[in-house]
Amino acid sequence: MKKINLSFLALLSLSAVCSYGQAAATKEQKEVIANLDKKKDHYGDVSKKIWDLAEVGYKEVKSSAILEEELEKEGFTLEKGVAGIPTAFVATYGKGKPVISILAEYDALPGMAQEAVPERKVIEGQKAGHACGHHLFGTASTAAAIAVKDWLKQNGKTGTIKLMGCPAEEGGSGKVYMVREGVFKDSDVVLHWHPGDRNSANPASSLANISAKFRFYGVAAHAAGAPERGRSALDGVEAMDYMVNMMREHIPQETRIHYVITRGGEAPNVVPAFAEVYYYARHNNREVVKDVWARIVEASKGAAMGTGTKVEMEITGGAYDLLPIESLSRVMFKNLETVGGVKYTPEEIAFSEKIIATLPASTEAKPKYTEAETVPAFSTKIEGMGGSTDVGDVSWAVPTVGLSTATWVPGTPAHSWQAVAAGGTEIGKKGMMVASKTLALTAIDLFKDPALIQKAHADWEKAKGANFKYEAMVGNRKPALDYRN
């Protein structure tokens, strides 16, 4: 995913926060929380299994199966392989309205293997790691769905709880295809969460994005003996990169463009016949993204023309910005406040202090581990993410609300080895349980009070605008199941 920008939280005074478990809970809420606490060790084991597997997007075969098994044994009906994606699934319990859906993710990031220790230590032989905490994401959401199922059953309530198994959030846009295929059409409200370094349920948005691989084809030749006979595909990539980098001065300053050269040739003495570069473009306005992307595509064509090569482009992902709904965020926040933050043991304090010592210098105040304990006061200011998420597309298809919890040591950025390390410890598991409890309590509130759903839909319709029509940023292409190859 995405770097969650919560730096403003560190500036709030102590009078503006509630501490661990401070807000009063009702008898019913206490029972839901207690039932989840009874299973915290089990869910911790589930998350650790997925952490160990560290399967990347669209290859989460074992990870998705673990969550499917948990749900099946709890009486959920499973629909597997939805939207043409083998690792996507929908688990359903109950009947009738309302239909509340909870999102689950479980893909890892390539190149992020890391042991659960407070210093950089790569796991030998492992190529990926959960640097965005999706092992916790999927497990907490599953735990919440099961807790809601238990509540529906015990109270004889009508309604349907769904767990949406969503693969390949990291650049693969799994949810986009699920939205496009109508997987969410029956949902009344969708709940989600994300691992982070602090606790928040404020209304938030994100950056829309488009990503693609540009493949250049040239002519191989001996780089010394007959260079005039060759046409370098790598020259095409480098010419494109140079032109795109010059564009940065002439695009909206909030735009983000980043790339990696995934193939650059095989040997220096062979003119590369094939080279590939992988691009992302982002902005909080998706129309700006489309405009910038069109210019990137033109740069690729110009690069091919100037180097005597050919270029092909494959869109691999694309996502909308998140559409926040304040009324839903208030419901979520109230429950996060009830659950409270994460309390560290002495051993976890020592771990956190070692992690904080490894974090790069920042203009912000030095983070403190105690920030994980607090739930800062609710803010109506729309929080921005420094990254993108395919939850954005879901939020334009159905009213959607989310939160972030402190599964990482405060100050830890997403997509870092420090995030992987904390996610494999009790610190990550504790934050995961904060999320599962908050999700469960929020879903139960929605089941109990139809007016909350009606208000959310009215606010959502207004926020979308009367003329909104959904068109996926990925176009009509099929899921890019091989984008991690």
Side-chain angles (χ1 to χ4, degrees), residues 3 5 207-211 244-245 247-248 251-259 279-285 288-289 292-293 296 385-388:
K3 176 185 176 184
N5 182 5
L207 302 181
N209 80 353
I210 299 177
S211 62
V244 172
N245 284 328
M247 279 174 50
R248 296 180 191 276
I251 57 178
Q253 64 179 359
E254 299 84 3
T255 309
R256 296 289 183 266
I257 302 175
H258 21 273
Y259 62 85
Y279 264 85
Y280 274 55
R282 314 185 199 234
H283 192 274
N284 56 13
N285 185 324
V288 173
V289 174
V292 169
W293 190 258
I296 292 172
M385 292 182 181
S388 311

mmCIF file of all heavy atoms in Angstrom, residues 3 5 207-211 244-245 247-248 251-259 279-285 288-289 292-293 296 385-388:
data_model
loop_
_atom_site.group_PDB
_atom_site.id
_atom_site.type_symbol
_atom_site.label_atom_id
_atom_site.label_comp_id
_atom_site.label_asym_id
_atom_site.label_seq_id
_atom_site.Cartn_x
_atom_site.Cartn_y
_atom_site.Cartn_z
ATOM 1 N N LYS A 3 1.674 4.879 2.304
ATOM 2 C CA LYS A 3 2.164 5.428 3.558
ATOM 3 C C LYS A 3 1.049 6.258 4.164
ATOM 4 O O LYS A 3 0.584 7.205 3.563
ATOM 5 C CB LYS A 3 3.392 6.292 3.315
ATOM 6 C CG LYS A 3 3.907 6.993 4.569
ATOM 7 C CD LYS A 3 5.050 7.920 4.207
ATOM 8 C CE LYS A 3 5.508 8.713 5.423
ATOM 9 N NZ LYS A 3 6.548 9.694 5.087
ATOM 10 N N ASN A 5 -0.345 9.066 6.350
ATOM 11 C CA ASN A 5 0.173 10.300 6.911
ATOM 12 C C ASN A 5 -0.620 10.687 8.148
ATOM 13 O O ASN A 5 -1.670 11.297 8.072
ATOM 14 C CB ASN A 5 0.099 11.407 5.862
ATOM 15 C CG ASN A 5 0.672 12.711 6.380
ATOM 16 O OD1 ASN A 5 1.212 12.763 7.481
ATOM 17 N ND2 ASN A 5 0.541 13.749 5.567
ATOM 18 N N LEU A 207 -4.431 8.741 -2.772
ATOM 19 C CA LEU A 207 -4.046 9.154 -4.117
ATOM 20 C C LEU A 207 -4.572 8.172 -5.149
ATOM 21 O O LEU A 207 -4.390 6.958 -5.002
ATOM 22 C CB LEU A 207 -2.521 9.237 -4.236
ATOM 23 C CG LEU A 207 -1.805 10.167 -3.264
ATOM 24 C CD1 LEU A 207 -0.303 10.146 -3.530
ATOM 25 C CD2 LEU A 207 -2.343 11.579 -3.354
ATOM 26 N N ALA A 208 -5.209 8.689 -6.173
ATOM 27 C CA ALA A 208 -5.552 7.845 -7.322
ATOM 28 C C ALA A 208 -4.257 7.483 -8.042
ATOM 29 O O ALA A 208 -3.267 8.227 -7.974
ATOM 30 C CB ALA A 208 -6.488 8.587 -8.262
ATOM 31 N N ASN A 209 -4.228 6.354 -8.732
ATOM 32 C CA ASN A 209 -2.993 5.992 -9.432
ATOM 33 C C ASN A 209 -3.258 5.166 -10.682
ATOM 34 O O ASN A 209 -4.346 4.622 -10.885
ATOM 35 C CB ASN A 209 -2.030 5.250 -8.497
ATOM 36 C CG ASN A 209 -2.364 3.780 -8.301
ATOM 37 O OD1 ASN A 209 -3.386 3.284 -8.749
ATOM 38 N ND2 ASN A 209 -1.495 3.068 -7.621
ATOM 39 N N ILE A 210 -2.237 5.106 -11.514
ATOM 40 C CA ILE A 210 -2.168 4.193 -12.652
ATOM 41 C C ILE A 210 -0.760 3.622 -12.662
ATOM 42 O O ILE A 210 0.215 4.341 -12.408
ATOM 43 C CB ILE A 210 -2.445 4.898 -14.000
ATOM 44 C CG1 ILE A 210 -3.850 5.514 -14.030
ATOM 45 C CG2 ILE A 210 -2.300 3.905 -15.162
ATOM 46 C CD1 ILE A 210 -4.151 6.290 -15.307
ATOM 47 N N SER A 211 -0.649 2.330 -12.946
ATOM 48 C CA SER A 211 0.670 1.706 -13.056
ATOM 49 C C SER A 211 0.722 0.834 -14.304
ATOM 50 O O SER A 211 -0.303 0.316 -14.754
ATOM 51 C CB SER A 211 0.980 0.860 -11.817
ATOM 52 O OG SER A 211 0.047 -0.202 -11.677
ATOM 53 N N VAL A 244 10.634 11.670 -18.783
ATOM 54 C CA VAL A 244 9.647 11.734 -17.701
ATOM 55 C C VAL A 244 10.191 12.551 -16.534
ATOM 56 O O VAL A 244 9.471 13.344 -15.915
ATOM 57 C CB VAL A 244 9.242 10.317 -17.247
ATOM 58 C CG1 VAL A 244 8.369 10.394 -15.990
ATOM 59 C CG2 VAL A 244 8.490 9.591 -18.357
ATOM 60 N N ASN A 245 11.473 12.381 -16.232
ATOM 61 C CA ASN A 245 12.053 13.145 -15.134
ATOM 62 C C ASN A 245 12.056 14.642 -15.436
ATOM 63 O O ASN A 245 11.903 15.469 -14.526
ATOM 64 C CB ASN A 245 13.467 12.653 -14.831
ATOM 65 C CG ASN A 245 13.460 11.336 -14.075
ATOM 66 O OD1 ASN A 245 12.559 11.073 -13.294
ATOM 67 N ND2 ASN A 245 14.459 10.505 -14.309
ATOM 68 N N MET A 247 9.700 16.053 -17.017
ATOM 69 C CA MET A 247 8.298 16.451 -16.855
ATOM 70 C C MET A 247 7.991 16.951 -15.449
ATOM 71 O O MET A 247 7.055 17.740 -15.249
ATOM 72 C CB MET A 247 7.362 15.259 -17.129
ATOM 73 C CG MET A 247 7.078 14.950 -18.567
ATOM 74 S SD MET A 247 6.118 13.410 -18.699
ATOM 75 C CE MET A 247 4.778 13.693 -17.527
ATOM 76 N N ARG A 248 8.746 16.500 -14.468
ATOM 77 C CA ARG A 248 8.412 16.776 -13.070
ATOM 78 C C ARG A 248 8.297 18.275 -12.781
ATOM 79 O O ARG A 248 7.556 18.688 -11.890
ATOM 80 C CB ARG A 248 9.454 16.134 -12.148
ATOM 81 C CG ARG A 248 9.485 14.618 -12.226
ATOM 82 C CD ARG A 248 10.531 14.031 -11.293
ATOM 83 N NE ARG A 248 10.749 12.622 -11.534
ATOM 84 C CZ ARG A 248 10.009 11.637 -11.026
ATOM 85 N NH1 ARG A 248 8.988 11.927 -10.239
ATOM 86 N NH2 ARG A 248 10.288 10.383 -11.298
ATOM 87 N N ILE A 251 4.410 19.598 -14.005
ATOM 88 C CA ILE A 251 3.182 18.925 -13.607
ATOM 89 C C ILE A 251 2.802 19.417 -12.209
ATOM 90 O O ILE A 251 3.633 19.986 -11.504
ATOM 91 C CB ILE A 251 3.341 17.384 -13.602
ATOM 92 C CG1 ILE A 251 4.488 16.952 -12.676
ATOM 93 C CG2 ILE A 251 3.566 16.859 -15.016
ATOM 94 C CD1 ILE A 251 4.678 15.462 -12.584
ATOM 95 N N PRO A 252 1.540 19.261 -11.783
ATOM 96 C CA PRO A 252 1.151 19.687 -10.434
ATOM 97 C C PRO A 252 2.089 19.101 -9.382
ATOM 98 O O PRO A 252 2.427 17.908 -9.430
ATOM 99 C CB PRO A 252 -0.269 19.139 -10.294
ATOM 100 C CG PRO A 252 -0.792 19.100 -11.692
ATOM 101 C CD PRO A 252 0.385 18.716 -12.532
ATOM 102 N N GLN A 253 2.526 19.933 -8.450
ATOM 103 C CA GLN A 253 3.586 19.524 -7.534
ATOM 104 C C GLN A 253 3.184 18.379 -6.613
ATOM 105 O O GLN A 253 4.050 17.677 -6.072
ATOM 106 C CB GLN A 253 4.058 20.708 -6.701
ATOM 107 C CG GLN A 253 3.011 21.301 -5.767
ATOM 108 C CD GLN A 253 3.569 22.453 -4.957
ATOM 109 O OE1 GLN A 253 4.745 22.797 -5.078
ATOM 110 N NE2 GLN A 253 2.743 23.054 -4.127
ATOM 111 N N GLU A 254 1.877 18.161 -6.424
ATOM 112 C CA GLU A 254 1.438 17.048 -5.572
ATOM 113 C C GLU A 254 1.545 15.703 -6.275
ATOM 114 O O GLU A 254 1.350 14.650 -5.654
ATOM 115 C CB GLU A 254 -0.012 17.263 -5.140
ATOM 116 C CG GLU A 254 -0.265 18.523 -4.334
ATOM 117 C CD GLU A 254 -0.471 19.747 -5.215
ATOM 118 O OE1 GLU A 254 -0.476 19.576 -6.467
ATOM 119 O OE2 GLU A 254 -0.635 20.857 -4.683
ATOM 120 N N THR A 255 1.845 15.705 -7.565
ATOM 121 C CA THR A 255 1.929 14.468 -8.343
ATOM 122 C C THR A 255 3.128 13.640 -7.873
ATOM 123 O O THR A 255 4.180 14.174 -7.527
ATOM 124 C CB THR A 255 2.102 14.782 -9.842
ATOM 125 O OG1 THR A 255 1.091 15.705 -10.236
ATOM 126 C CG2 THR A 255 1.993 13.513 -10.677
ATOM 127 N N ARG A 256 2.958 12.333 -7.894
ATOM 128 C CA ARG A 256 4.048 11.414 -7.590
ATOM 129 C C ARG A 256 4.253 10.494 -8.797
ATOM 130 O O ARG A 256 3.300 9.878 -9.279
ATOM 131 C CB ARG A 256 3.739 10.568 -6.352
ATOM 132 C CG ARG A 256 3.595 11.380 -5.064
ATOM 133 C CD ARG A 256 4.944 11.933 -4.606
ATOM 134 N NE ARG A 256 4.821 12.649 -3.351
ATOM 135 C CZ ARG A 256 4.628 13.967 -3.249
ATOM 136 N NH1 ARG A 256 4.488 14.703 -4.362
ATOM 137 N NH2 ARG A 256 4.548 14.547 -2.068
ATOM 138 N N ILE A 257 5.489 10.433 -9.286
ATOM 139 C CA ILE A 257 5.851 9.499 -10.358
ATOM 140 C C ILE A 257 7.056 8.716 -9.881
ATOM 141 O O ILE A 257 8.044 9.297 -9.426
ATOM 142 C CB ILE A 257 6.213 10.226 -11.671
ATOM 143 C CG1 ILE A 257 5.054 11.111 -12.151
ATOM 144 C CG2 ILE A 257 6.594 9.214 -12.754
ATOM 145 C CD1 ILE A 257 5.393 11.947 -13.372
ATOM 146 N N HIS A 258 6.984 7.388 -9.949
ATOM 147 C CA HIS A 258 8.141 6.575 -9.582
ATOM 148 C C HIS A 258 8.227 5.354 -10.485
ATOM 149 O O HIS A 258 7.225 4.912 -11.053
ATOM 150 C CB HIS A 258 8.122 6.162 -8.108
ATOM 151 C CG HIS A 258 6.792 6.200 -7.444
ATOM 152 N ND1 HIS A 258 6.288 7.335 -6.863
ATOM 153 C CD2 HIS A 258 5.851 5.257 -7.263
ATOM 154 C CE1 HIS A 258 5.104 7.088 -6.344
ATOM 155 N NE2 HIS A 258 4.807 5.832 -6.577
ATOM 156 N N TYR A 259 9.454 4.835 -10.624
ATOM 157 C CA TYR A 259 9.676 3.727 -11.548
ATOM 158 C C TYR A 259 10.860 2.888 -11.095
ATOM 159 O O TYR A 259 11.706 3.343 -10.315
ATOM 160 C CB TYR A 259 9.928 4.249 -12.971
ATOM 161 C CG TYR A 259 11.153 5.123 -13.128
ATOM 162 C CD1 TYR A 259 12.416 4.568 -13.344
ATOM 163 C CD2 TYR A 259 11.052 6.509 -13.064
ATOM 164 C CE1 TYR A 259 13.539 5.370 -13.486
ATOM 165 C CE2 TYR A 259 12.160 7.319 -13.200
ATOM 166 C CZ TYR A 259 13.413 6.757 -13.418
ATOM 167 O OH TYR A 259 14.525 7.549 -13.559
ATOM 168 N N TYR A 279 6.270 1.660 -14.103
ATOM 169 C CA TYR A 279 5.931 3.016 -13.688
ATOM 170 C C TYR A 279 4.662 3.091 -12.848
ATOM 171 O O TYR A 279 3.715 2.329 -13.073
ATOM 172 C CB TYR A 279 5.712 3.907 -14.921
ATOM 173 C CG TYR A 279 6.923 4.700 -15.332
ATOM 174 C CD1 TYR A 279 7.889 4.128 -16.162
ATOM 175 C CD2 TYR A 279 7.109 6.012 -14.899
ATOM 176 C CE1 TYR A 279 9.014 4.852 -16.542
ATOM 177 C CE2 TYR A 279 8.219 6.739 -15.281
ATOM 178 C CZ TYR A 279 9.167 6.158 -16.097
ATOM 179 O OH TYR A 279 10.270 6.875 -16.474
ATOM 180 N N TYR A 280 4.655 4.056 -11.903
ATOM 181 C CA TYR A 280 3.462 4.484 -11.179
ATOM 182 C C TYR A 280 3.306 5.992 -11.359
ATOM 183 O O TYR A 280 4.300 6.728 -11.341
ATOM 184 C CB TYR A 280 3.604 4.252 -9.669
ATOM 185 C CG TYR A 280 3.243 2.896 -9.142
ATOM 186 C CD1 TYR A 280 3.832 1.739 -9.662
ATOM 187 C CD2 TYR A 280 2.353 2.759 -8.081
ATOM 188 C CE1 TYR A 280 3.523 0.494 -9.135
ATOM 189 C CE2 TYR A 280 2.046 1.519 -7.549
ATOM 190 C CZ TYR A 280 2.635 0.387 -8.087
ATOM 191 O OH TYR A 280 2.318 -0.836 -7.558
ATOM 192 N N ALA A 281 2.075 6.459 -11.478
ATOM 193 C CA ALA A 281 1.764 7.885 -11.401
ATOM 194 C C ALA A 281 0.602 8.066 -10.434
ATOM 195 O O ALA A 281 -0.367 7.294 -10.481
ATOM 196 C CB ALA A 281 1.404 8.448 -12.765
ATOM 197 N N ARG A 282 0.696 9.090 -9.563
ATOM 198 C CA ARG A 282 -0.339 9.281 -8.535
ATOM 199 C C ARG A 282 -0.664 10.760 -8.351
ATOM 200 O O ARG A 282 0.186 11.634 -8.517
ATOM 201 C CB ARG A 282 0.131 8.746 -7.179
ATOM 202 C CG ARG A 282 0.775 7.383 -7.173
ATOM 203 C CD ARG A 282 1.056 6.993 -5.742
ATOM 204 N NE ARG A 282 2.046 5.951 -5.597
ATOM 205 C CZ ARG A 282 1.862 4.817 -4.933
ATOM 206 N NH1 ARG A 282 0.696 4.573 -4.393
ATOM 207 N NH2 ARG A 282 2.825 3.933 -4.813
ATOM 208 N N HIS A 283 -1.893 11.014 -7.946
ATOM 209 C CA HIS A 283 -2.341 12.347 -7.554
ATOM 210 C C HIS A 283 -3.674 12.164 -6.856
ATOM 211 O O HIS A 283 -4.366 11.159 -7.072
ATOM 212 C CB HIS A 283 -2.498 13.259 -8.783
ATOM 213 C CG HIS A 283 -2.678 14.705 -8.447
ATOM 214 N ND1 HIS A 283 -3.910 15.268 -8.164
ATOM 215 C CD2 HIS A 283 -1.785 15.714 -8.346
ATOM 216 C CE1 HIS A 283 -3.757 16.552 -7.902
ATOM 217 N NE2 HIS A 283 -2.480 16.859 -7.999
ATOM 218 N N ASN A 284 -4.059 13.134 -6.012
ATOM 219 C CA ASN A 284 -5.338 12.978 -5.318
ATOM 220 C C ASN A 284 -6.528 13.225 -6.236
ATOM 221 O O ASN A 284 -7.664 12.902 -5.891
ATOM 222 C CB ASN A 284 -5.413 13.889 -4.081
ATOM 223 C CG ASN A 284 -5.178 15.354 -4.411
ATOM 224 O OD1 ASN A 284 -5.185 15.746 -5.578
ATOM 225 N ND2 ASN A 284 -4.967 16.154 -3.386
ATOM 226 N N ASN A 285 -6.296 13.779 -7.417
ATOM 227 C CA ASN A 285 -7.349 13.977 -8.419
ATOM 228 C C ASN A 285 -7.095 13.016 -9.572
ATOM 229 O O ASN A 285 -6.089 13.115 -10.269
ATOM 230 C CB ASN A 285 -7.324 15.428 -8.921
ATOM 231 C CG ASN A 285 -8.466 15.735 -9.880
ATOM 232 O OD1 ASN A 285 -8.874 14.902 -10.685
ATOM 233 N ND2 ASN A 285 -8.971 16.950 -9.816
ATOM 234 N N VAL A 288 -6.193 14.387 -12.996
ATOM 235 C CA VAL A 288 -4.790 14.793 -13.140
ATOM 236 C C VAL A 288 -3.928 13.578 -13.445
ATOM 237 O O VAL A 288 -3.026 13.631 -14.283
ATOM 238 C CB VAL A 288 -4.291 15.505 -11.864
ATOM 239 C CG1 VAL A 288 -2.780 15.775 -11.948
ATOM 240 C CG2 VAL A 288 -5.047 16.809 -11.654
ATOM 241 N N VAL A 289 -4.207 12.464 -12.769
ATOM 242 C CA VAL A 289 -3.470 11.233 -13.035
ATOM 243 C C VAL A 289 -3.600 10.839 -14.505
ATOM 244 O O VAL A 289 -2.604 10.496 -15.167
ATOM 245 C CB VAL A 289 -3.960 10.080 -12.134
ATOM 246 C CG1 VAL A 289 -3.275 8.768 -12.520
ATOM 247 C CG2 VAL A 289 -3.693 10.390 -10.675
ATOM 248 N N VAL A 292 -1.463 13.261 -16.667
ATOM 249 C CA VAL A 292 -0.030 13.000 -16.517
ATOM 250 C C VAL A 292 0.335 11.674 -17.172
ATOM 251 O O VAL A 292 1.383 11.556 -17.835
ATOM 252 C CB VAL A 292 0.363 13.007 -15.026
ATOM 253 C CG1 VAL A 292 1.780 12.484 -14.826
ATOM 254 C CG2 VAL A 292 0.223 14.405 -14.441
ATOM 255 N N TRP A 293 -0.536 10.695 -17.018
ATOM 256 C CA TRP A 293 -0.254 9.384 -17.593
ATOM 257 C C TRP A 293 -0.182 9.456 -19.125
ATOM 258 O O TRP A 293 0.686 8.823 -19.742
ATOM 259 C CB TRP A 293 -1.300 8.361 -17.166
ATOM 260 C CG TRP A 293 -0.900 6.974 -17.556
ATOM 261 C CD1 TRP A 293 -1.353 6.246 -18.599
ATOM 262 C CD2 TRP A 293 0.096 6.178 -16.911
ATOM 263 N NE1 TRP A 293 -0.709 5.031 -18.661
ATOM 264 C CE2 TRP A 293 0.179 4.962 -17.631
ATOM 265 C CE3 TRP A 293 0.907 6.370 -15.799
ATOM 266 C CZ2 TRP A 293 1.060 3.941 -17.261
ATOM 267 C CZ3 TRP A 293 1.789 5.358 -15.425
ATOM 268 C CH2 TRP A 293 1.860 4.157 -16.160
ATOM 269 N N ILE A 296 3.174 10.562 -20.003
ATOM 270 C CA ILE A 296 4.169 9.502 -19.805
ATOM 271 C C ILE A 296 4.156 8.542 -20.993
ATOM 272 O O ILE A 296 5.208 8.128 -21.495
ATOM 273 C CB ILE A 296 3.907 8.755 -18.485
ATOM 274 C CG1 ILE A 296 4.187 9.675 -17.292
ATOM 275 C CG2 ILE A 296 4.750 7.487 -18.390
ATOM 276 C CD1 ILE A 296 3.786 9.089 -15.953
ATOM 277 N N MET A 385 -3.473 10.287 2.485
ATOM 278 C CA MET A 385 -2.450 9.252 2.482
ATOM 279 C C MET A 385 -1.364 9.640 1.483
ATOM 280 O O MET A 385 -1.638 10.253 0.465
ATOM 281 C CB MET A 385 -3.029 7.904 2.049
ATOM 282 C CG MET A 385 -3.993 7.277 3.021
ATOM 283 S SD MET A 385 -4.537 5.670 2.391
ATOM 284 C CE MET A 385 -5.658 5.170 3.671
ATOM 285 N N GLY A 386 -0.142 9.257 1.762
ATOM 286 C CA GLY A 386 0.927 9.478 0.811
ATOM 287 C C GLY A 386 0.987 8.381 -0.224
ATOM 288 O O GLY A 386 1.967 8.262 -0.953
ATOM 289 N N GLY A 387 -0.022 7.557 -0.286
ATOM 290 C CA GLY A 387 -0.032 6.436 -1.218
ATOM 291 C C GLY A 387 -1.430 6.168 -1.731
ATOM 292 O O GLY A 387 -2.335 6.983 -1.578
ATOM 293 N N SER A 388 -1.595 5.009 -2.321
ATOM 294 C CA SER A 388 -2.846 4.658 -2.984
ATOM 295 C C SER A 388 -3.370 3.334 -2.453
ATOM 296 O O SER A 388 -2.627 2.549 -1.870
ATOM 297 C CB SER A 388 -2.628 4.532 -4.500
ATOM 298 O OG SER A 388 -1.939 5.644 -5.005
#
